[in-house]
Amino acid sequence: MNTLFAAQAAEAAPLADRLRPKSFAEVVGQEHLTGDDGPLGRMVKSRQFASIILWGPPGCGKTTIARLLAAESGYEMEAVSAVTTGVVELKKIFEKAATRLEDGKRTLLFVDEIHRFNRAQQDVFLPYVETGTVLLVGATTENPSFELNSALLSRCRVLVLKRLGEEAMRRLLDRTEKHMKKKLNLPEEAFVTLCAMADGDGRYFLNLLEEIYNAAPKGPLTPEALTQLLQQRAPVYDKHQESHYNLISALHKSLRGSDVDAALYWLHRMLDGGEAPLYIVRRLVRFAVEDIGLADPEAVHQALAAKDVYDFLGSPEGELAIVQAVIYLATAPKSNAAYVAAGAAMRDAKQHGSLMPPMHILNAPTKLMKELGYSKGYEYDHKAEDAFSGQNYFPDGLERRTYYEPVERGFERELKKRLEYWAKLREKRSS
């Protein structure tokens, strides 16, 4: 009866559990880690196991790899989630692990969502990882360099898992059809749609396949039929975590590269994920002054106008103003000359911060200051020929610098002509 019950329970388990890989060779999409030349493959081959952090998106195989590593190493596996486990429970696990170690047995501690532990809680692991009481395998969807403290990171190797591509998904489809003993009538276009719905998540992809089998649709599955049959998945995006910074970086760099279509894609990825529109607009304003500057002085006005329109209309109508600003910024001539000039001037200002302005450009509101030479020799530019005196305005002891070098694009082309004209006049007056 127990055997029958176990078989029935296994058959009732979700498809993703029934198809969970039983060896590293069955893990799809992570061959760079599990292959013979990958770090996990070498670890198993050499029998030299080390604590690791598995960093990757949902459904890419982190838990599966931890289970396989425990099986390959022969270690006792303890599995916890940082969401539901506290320090008290961890200490009990460490005590059990220490007892096992005295009997010559090792423990693999798998901690799912390890980034949920705060930095003080993470310190609890240090002595037990250091002494080898436990082999720590942590799993996280967040960038470990942001979420884990440096002491713990220094004791673990970070392995990066990839989101599953179409080739990996096709292997999962083949495996599913063999397990179910029935092929799905899934044309290539529908398969691509199904992969897009899964968004790189293998577990979710298998759940979708299970829904299709349960629905037992008649005839070929078109993309439209799939959309009606399956609920659209919410995009994987956490506006408070790393994806927040990754996507705004992608938007910024697409704008800098004048790729209007890519910029619109990343903009809508963020909006669809629930990002605050005004956060995006703030970055657009920053982009306008950093990457366009005076090549198109109108750019910053367009970005600020998007903020005003969005404030006035709200969502979703106001989002069109953000779209318009993105298109304008992406297609505007680019220059970071002002940004570079600011950095260079700041470095000199810090290095030569004690130098006084030259006496001739200092005001002399008192008799004493006049006697000391304040404002002596100052030439009023409006009275000079061409309204340009060519005097020195840098501090004494600091040679003239050139910080701002406009580019030959947009309005800065005109500014470049003006600066070259003044440079010639300055050279002429000084000689």
Side-chain angles (χ1 to χ4, degrees), residues 42 183 200 229 238 241 285:
R42 294 196 304 269
K183 289 186 70 69
L229 181 64
D238 188 337
Q241 299 294 340
V285 173

Side-chain angles (χ1 to χ4, degrees), residues 324-369:
Q324 180 173 308
V326 164
I327 294 172
Y328 191 97
L329 299 182
T331 55
K334 306 298 188 297
S335 171
N336 70 340
Y339 179 74
V340 172
M346 178 59 73
R347 286 191 293 273
D348 267 356
K350 288 186 176 183
Q351 185 175 353
H352 306 285
S354 60
L355 297 177
M356 288 291 292
M359 294 286 281
H360 65 272
I361 65 171
L362 297 179
N363 290 331
T366 68
K367 180 180 179 182
L368 175 62
M369 294 171 78

Side-chain angles (χ1 to χ4, degrees), residues 26-300:
E26 294 183 6
V27 176
V28 301
Q30 312 303 338
E31 291 78 11
H32 63 293
L33 301 179
T34 60
D36 292 339
D37 294 329
L40 292 173
R42 294 196 304 269
M43 199 180 292
V44 171
K45 187 176 180 179
S46 66
R47 313 303 296 171
Q48 298 293 320
F49 299 99
S51 292
I52 57 176
I53 302 296
L54 300 172
W55 172 29
C60 65
K62 298 185 292 295
T63 302
T64 294
I65 287 176
R67 291 182 178 183
L68 292 175
L69 198 57
E72 292 284 356
S73 64
Y75 292 5
E76 290 286 333
M77 182 173 177
E78 298 276 358
V80 298
S81 170
V83 177
T84 57
T85 306
V87 172
V88 174
E89 292 89 346
L90 286 176
K91 288 185 175 179
K92 290 179 181 178
I93 292 173
F94 294 142
E95 289 173 5
K96 289 168 62 178
T99 302
R100 285 196 195 102
L101 193 58
E102 292 174 358
D103 295 333
K105 297 179 181 178
R106 300 289 302 277
T107 302
L108 184 149
L109 173 58
F110 173 62
V111 182
D112 197 16
E113 308 241 36
I114 192 170
H115 62 276
R116 297 296 187 105
F117 283 129
N118 62 41
R119 293 177 182 267
Q121 291 172 317
Q122 291 171 26
D123 285 339
V124 175
F125 293 97
L126 299 181
Y128 303 101
V129 173
E130 184 77 34
T131 59
T133 305
V134 297
L135 180 74
L136 176 64
V137 178
T140 177
T141 55
E142 301 302 328
N143 191 326
S145 59
F146 295 156
E147 304 297 335
L148 303 184
N149 66 39
S150 57
L152 184 57
L153 278 178
S154 69
R155 291 162 173 80
C156 302
R157 180 172 181 181
V158 177
L159 302 182
V160 181
L161 284 77
K162 301 175 182 178
R163 66 191 299 277
L164 302 190
E166 288 185 9
E167 182 180 345
M169 297 296 194
R170 197 174 298 280
R171 289 174 60 189
L172 291 181
L173 174 60
D174 293 341
R175 195 174 297 172
T176 299
E177 290 177 333
K178 289 178 183 177
H179 176 79
M180 302 298 287
K181 299 178 182 177
K182 180 181 179 182
K183 289 186 70 69
L184 288 176
N185 194 345
L186 195 67
E188 181 63 23
E189 192 177 19
F191 170 74
V192 172
T193 300
L194 197 63
C195 290
M197 287 181 175
D199 197 18
D201 186 330
R203 182 173 50 245
Y204 190 72
F205 182 75
L206 290 172
N207 291 342
L208 293 176
L209 290 178
E210 189 169 23
E211 282 191 51
I212 294 172
Y213 273 104
N214 290 338
K218 297 178 180 179
L221 284 165
T222 63
E224 293 75 16
L226 276 178
T227 304
Q228 291 180 355
L229 181 64
L230 307 169
Q231 289 188 346
Q232 182 67 39
R233 188 187 194 193
V236 178
Y237 179 76
D238 188 337
K239 60 185 177 182
H240 301 296
Q241 299 294 340
E242 197 205 358
S243 55
H244 163 82
Y245 301 103
N246 287 345
L247 267 62
I248 196 64
S249 175
L251 173 61
H252 193 121
K253 289 179 173 62
S254 299
L255 290 170
R256 182 180 290 157
S258 300
D259 191 332
V260 63
D261 298 307
L264 288 172
Y265 170 79
W266 294 117
L267 167 66
H268 284 91
R269 274 283 300 276
M270 298 183 78
L271 291 174
D272 191 42
E275 183 59 79
L278 288 179
Y279 166 76
I280 299 173
V281 175
R282 281 196 295 273
R283 290 299 296 257
L284 296 182
V285 173
R286 166 70 185 189
F287 177 86
V289 295
E290 178 181 338
D291 287 275
I292 297 175
L294 291 169
D296 185 351
E298 178 61 23
V300 68

Side-chain angles (χ1 to χ4, degrees), residues 391-419:
Q391 282 193 303
N392 174 53
Y393 299 99
F394 274 87
D396 294 332
L398 181 63
E399 291 184 4
R400 178 171 187 80
R401 302 284 202 267
T402 299
Y403 299 127
Y404 178 54
E405 297 186 21
V407 299
E408 286 281 359
R409 290 186 295 277
F411 182 67
E412 282 201 330
R413 184 184 290 112
E414 175 63 28
L415 296 182
K416 188 177 181 69
K417 293 177 183 177
R418 296 180 193 179
L419 290 174

